[in-house]
Amino acid sequence: MIPTLLIANRGEIAIRVARTAAAMGVRTVAVHSADDAGSLHLRHADQAIALPGQGASAYLDIEALIAVARDEGCDAVHPGYGFLSESAAFAEACREAGLIFVGPDPETLALLGDKVSARALAVRAGVPVAAGSGPLA
């Protein structure tokens, strides 16, 4: 069981993660940029912490998110969906900080995050793939 979860996203997905975590008895920490201080997702978490910066870029600041997770005693980080959920660098930063990344491991994200390598893996595994033109030079 994860005692405390950082939700590294905003909006509807953060609300869904917070509700599910609450139903499971998991304490949640939500984050927000300066211009999202009144956002609805913050009301669904047990605690809300401001990130440096404004707009979407605040939510993509890996160092700031890891710092919040450490400072608030989080055991795990849920990236929501979007950029962070696909970021091998974020998953690796969580691993290095001793945090559980709720998602695929960094190696899987690195392999499947690149369409060319993902396609090559599928071909090697015998998965039927549609004909393509190959990498462009």
Side-chain angles (χ1 to χ4, degrees):
M1 177 69 127
I2 295 170
T4 305
L5 175 69
L6 175 75
I7 305 169
N9 211 305
R10 61 183 174 170
E12 179 220 354
I13 189 61
I15 293 170
R16 288 178 184 231
V17 172
R19 284 180 177 166
T20 301
M24 297 174 67
V26 175
R27 180 178 168 271
T28 54
V29 177
V31 292
H32 65 89
S33 62
D35 50 332
D36 278 344
S39 291
L40 182 60
H41 76 279
L42 303 176
R43 293 186 231 157
H44 291 271
D46 296 300
Q47 186 173 5
I49 303 294
L51 293 168
Q54 293 190 4
S57 63
Y59 297 91
L60 299 175
D61 185 338
I62 292 173
E63 289 181 21
L65 290 166
I66 297 296
V68 169
R70 283 181 171 163
D71 292 348
E72 301 307 320
C74 295
D75 306 284
V77 177
H78 193 300
Y81 59 75
F83 295 115
L84 289 179
S85 68
E86 301 170 1
S87 172
F90 186 51
E92 182 61 32
C94 289
R95 177 190 280 170
E96 289 174 2
L99 299 164
I100 297 165
F101 178 79
V102 180
D105 62 43
E107 295 78 19
T108 300
L109 287 170
L111 179 63
L112 298 177
D114 175 75
K115 289 178 177 61
V116 173
S117 66
R119 179 183 171 85
L121 174 63
V123 169
R124 286 193 308 276
V127 175
V129 295
S133 63
L136 301 175

